[in-house]
Amino acid sequence: MPALFPSLYQAPDKPALRFGGRVIGYGRLAGAAHALALEIADAGRVAVWATSSPHTCVGVLAALLAGVPAVPVNPRVGEDELAHILTDSTPNRVLAASGDELPPALEALPRTDVTLGPEADPRPDGTTSAPDENGPALIVYTSGTTGPPKGVVVPRRAIASTLDDLADVWRWTGDDVLVHALPLFHVHGLVLGVLGPLRRGGTLHHLGRFSPEAVAAALEEGGTMVFGVPTMYHRLAGALEAGGEAGGRLAAALGGARLLVSGSAALPPHDHERITAATGQRVVERYGMTETLMITSVRADGERRAGTVGVPLPSVDVRLVDDEGRRIEDGDGETVGEVQVRGPNLFTEYLHRPDATAQAFAGGWFRTGDMATRDADGFYRIVGRRATDLIKSGGYRIGAGEIENCLLGHPGVAEAAVVGEPDPDLGERIVAWVVPAGGPPPTEQELVDHVARRLTPHKRPRAVRFTDGLPRNDMGKVMKRELGRG
């Protein structure tokens, strides 16, 4: 029996995957993945053309059954980045649906079409022997902020550990139907959103394209959990606030869900408040990254504190350290430190990058580069990345996220991103990029005063720049290094 998926062969008639109107039961899924696993068992690594389709799920599942590392490839990847990924990971073949048109670099590889054949009766002992739990399961490429993307080698034990921890803190069972529209080339949509339901023996309902209407319909049809990123929840909050028949339907659907989970970036308090006011639901936030999978979460059966990412997962050790690497012992909710992590959830290495792997660790602790505070109850609040979100201005250490949330509380602000820019007097000055909401736009001074009144004067922006939109990646995260370019 495959260790990662103990329920795969137990209920062949139960729905495993739903994409649009296509429903695939566990029997059919297991048969297709089992057959493909036998076909690719001798491959060194396989690239998976990771469209939002059941074929991606079958391809990755087959690789995991065969013990072959899978390299998920973003279908929107550019030529240069794709060339780097293929040169770095050296896959032996590519898995894709038969109708998928691949870029030339992937077409040059031997191709195996992923099919969703008729239901089969696979024998678990027909695949290769059980893979080593410390062996590589996935190689996921990070966004290259300081150079070419690095291949994060995620072992099987990390996947099992993270998913079992989440089953504990979220009370996740085989009875849950997970609704999401996340891309399937990253750990949020793929590990949590696909492998999570399959490990529990539950069901994934993938929407294909996100919309508030699609979320409402999926929940009405039996969905129990929703996974999303802040951009999605912002749109849900706007649809709820708009009211009308559609808003009322959405409020009832979200209110009936067992769990709403947001991740990949902080969910602004304003959106928390709007969703709770309309539905009675409090969104659960969690925190993780490609190298660590999940680190902390608000518990489903515990206090749901808006703006925090909860407490460490059961198998994960977390600490905050200061600039000198000394552990911050007391949680006062104010002292900012870097998050460091150790546990079975960690990646093995950056592929072919022993230098980068060594630099990422301090005495066995992974250095996340994320800055956070911890309160007396152990709840963590992420204030941003050390490189882009920690601003040192006038002798103060200031988290950009706090100022962004404050700006988002102004009715004239739709989106906000705060960065630090070099300043000869302050060291760094606070600069806010703002997308105005509908109606008369606020003035720069109005927003500066808004922050100074609600926070403290030293946290006020020294400049406000208005823009039509903020640059975001596929997961909805603002790419702050792109602000001001072009």
Side-chain angles (χ1 to χ4, degrees):
M1 188 68 67
L4 277 176
F5 308 105
S7 301
L8 186 60
Y9 302 97
Q10 293 180 359
D13 295 329
K14 183 176 182 178
L17 306 172
R18 177 174 176 180
F19 283 77
R22 173 179 281 176
V23 179
I24 298 171
Y26 269 93
R28 186 177 178 194
L29 172 65
H34 177 87
L36 182 57
L38 293 174
E39 193 171 350
I40 64 173
D42 294 331
R45 298 187 185 111
V46 294
V48 179
W49 188 241
T51 59
S52 294
S53 71
H55 300 83
T56 298
C57 305
V58 171
V60 172
L61 178 59
L64 291 171
L65 292 178
V68 173
V71 184
V73 178
N74 179 356
R76 297 172 59 186
V77 68
E79 292 179 2
D80 290 349
E81 186 170 335
L82 177 59
H84 166 72
I85 290 172
L86 297 182
T87 300
D88 192 56
S89 64
T90 60
N92 297 88
R93 62 180 58 244
V94 58
L95 309 182
S98 59
D100 287 345
E101 183 177 345
L102 303 180
L106 279 174
E107 287 285 9
L109 293 175
R111 173 171 177 159
T112 299
D113 286 340
V114 179
T115 62
L116 308 175
E119 183 171 335
D121 183 22
R123 293 181 301 137
D125 59 356
T127 57
T128 56
S129 58
D132 177 8
E133 67 170 10
N134 290 308
L138 301 171
I139 301 174
V140 183
Y141 279 81
T142 64
S143 54
T145 55
T146 58
K150 296 190 288 288
V152 178
V153 181
V154 180
R156 302 171 69 86
R157 58 153 167 82
I159 294 173
S161 171
T162 262
L163 295 179
D164 290 348
D165 275 352
L166 293 180
D168 178 8
V169 301
W170 293 345
R171 298 295 185 255
W172 193 352
T173 74
D175 293 330
D176 280 305
V177 177
L178 172 61
V179 175
H180 78 78
L182 298 163
L184 302 187
F185 53 83
H186 204 266
V187 296
H188 192 172
L190 179 59
V191 176
L192 272 62
V194 174
L195 305 185
L198 296 183
R199 183 163 176 82
R200 301 273 71 81
T203 302
L204 162 63
H205 185 164
H206 197 283
L207 303 178
R209 183 181 296 276
F210 172 84
S211 73
E213 297 79 12
V215 171
L219 289 173
E220 289 169 346
E221 294 168 3
T224 64
M225 302 167 65
V226 177
F227 287 179
V229 296
T231 302
M232 295 174 176
Y233 281 103
H234 180 73
R235 290 181 59 189
L236 291 173
L240 290 167
E241 203 166 57
E245 183 178 347
R249 177 189 175 196
L250 179 62
L254 292 173
R258 190 180 71 77
L259 205 63
L260 308 178
V261 181
S262 180
S264 296
L267 180 62
H270 181 54
D271 288 334
H272 269 288
E273 293 162 4
R274 292 195 293 169
I275 291 170
T276 299
T279 68
Q281 281 272 24
R282 290 195 174 275
V283 177
V284 164
E285 291 196 78
R286 86 319 179 264
Y287 162 58
M289 55 196 307
T290 306
E291 291 90 339
T292 65
L293 300 187
M294 295 303 104
I295 299 171
T296 70
S297 179
V298 173
R299 292 189 65 94
D301 57 357
E303 183 181 358
R304 302 186 187 183
R305 299 184 185 180
T308 79
V309 293
V311 299
L313 297 182
S315 67
V316 183
D317 290 330
V318 185
R319 70 178 184 180
L320 291 182
V321 301
D322 61 20
D323 286 345
E324 284 70 46
R326 296 173 303 206
R327 187 168 191 152
I328 299 170
E329 298 294 347
D330 298 325
D332 58 10
E334 295 293 334
T335 303
V336 176
E338 182 189 22
V339 179
Q340 295 189 353
V341 185
R342 66 182 180 185
N345 57 312
L346 292 183
F347 75 126
T348 304
E349 63 176 335
Y350 292 117
L351 190 65
H352 306 314
R353 293 289 304 276
D355 55 337
T357 304
Q359 291 170 8
F361 286 86
W365 292 83
F366 175 68
R367 303 164 58 184
T368 66
D370 288 325
M371 309 302 291
T373 64
R374 184 183 64 245
D375 67 21
D377 296 322
F379 281 69
Y380 284 78
R381 186 184 303 271
I382 307 299
V383 301
R385 295 289 294 168
R386 177 188 288 275
T388 57
D389 296 316
L390 182 66
I391 302 169
K392 298 179 180 180
S393 182
Y396 295 99
R397 290 159 57 89
I398 302 163
E402 182 181 21
I403 303 170
E404 290 164 356
N405 287 333
C406 183
L407 288 167
L408 289 169
H410 190 286
V413 175
E415 298 179 73
V418 170
V419 298
E421 292 186 354
D423 184 273
D425 179 44
L426 298 170
E428 286 185 300
R429 63 175 183 155
I430 299 168
V431 176
W433 291 81
V434 169
V435 178
T443 66
E444 177 176 356
Q445 192 60 48
E446 182 181 348
L447 295 180
V448 170
D449 293 343
H450 173 80
V451 173
R453 284 195 307 271
R454 284 161 176 76
L455 300 180
T456 58
H458 72 264
K459 295 180 180 179
R460 71 189 186 278
R462 301 293 174 144
V464 177
R465 297 171 184 161
F466 294 96
T467 181
D468 293 333
L470 300 177
R472 296 180 182 273
N473 64 16
D474 290 305
M475 296 301 293
K477 292 183 180 179
V478 176
M479 299 184 291
K480 292 190 175 182
R481 295 181 187 274
E482 300 296 318
L483 290 170
R485 293 187 181 180

